[in-house]
Amino acid sequence: MRRDPLAALARLRRLESDEARRVLGEANARLMAAEARAVAAGAALRLEGQPGREEEYGRWLARGLAERDRAIRAAGFADESATIARQGLVECRAAERALEHLRGARAEAARRQAARRSQSLLDDAAARLALRG
């Protein structure tokens, strides 16, 4: 039996889409964790700035600001990564839909060709009967 190259390509496209979904899920998880770290760093700055803790706050402030800035940058990078992963999934799904459309068009063309062959056989049989009669 002849192998259908479009079926093999469809399996490959599904695997690519599954991988893109996995990558997007991981990117979203990293984004949520980075955003949580940024929120926690901002909250720590506000908490440490409470009255009565000025001496400790002065020593801690530079480190707290640096941590908050790192967390904000990491959240930005994670957001970019998630955006890229989302676009990758969009592209994979578009390739899957294009392939589905192509497979549908080929199936329709094969159906029409089979119908034409059947009609041609019927026409030939009718012509032979007409010649006999």
Side-chain angles (χ1 to χ4, degrees):
M1 182 172 171
R2 202 179 88 160
R3 288 188 160 200
D4 180 11
L6 291 182
L9 185 56
R11 284 191 300 277
L12 177 62
R13 294 289 185 226
R14 275 192 303 280
L15 290 173
E16 288 173 341
S17 290
D18 290 346
E19 177 66 11
R21 279 186 202 87
R22 185 191 63 74
V23 167
L24 178 57
E26 290 174 357
N28 283 334
R30 284 190 302 271
L31 175 58
M32 289 191 303
E35 288 173 342
R37 280 191 303 276
V39 167
L45 283 172
R46 286 187 296 281
L47 181 65
E48 288 292 325
Q50 298 292 323
R53 303 181 70 161
E54 289 81 12
E55 186 178 316
E56 294 171 22
Y57 185 68
R59 288 186 298 221
W60 180 85
L61 182 60
R63 192 177 76 230
L65 288 172
E67 175 59 31
R68 182 200 62 193
D69 293 345
R70 275 192 304 273
I72 289 171
R73 276 194 311 277
F77 292 140
D79 185 47
E80 289 175 21
S81 177
T83 299
I84 291 168
R86 205 171 5 266
Q87 183 60 37
L89 178 57
V90 165
E91 290 171 4
C92 285
R93 285 297 299 138
E96 271 189 294
R97 283 189 303 276
L99 181 60
E100 289 167 7
H101 179 72
L102 177 61
R103 289 180 81 189
R106 285 210 174 160
E108 178 61 24
R111 187 196 60 74
R112 283 193 311 266
Q113 185 178 15
R116 281 194 302 270
R117 270 195 309 267
S118 295
Q119 186 61 47
S120 178
L121 289 173
L122 287 173
D123 291 346
D124 287 346
R128 278 194 300 264
L129 282 175
L131 288 176
R132 282 188 195 169

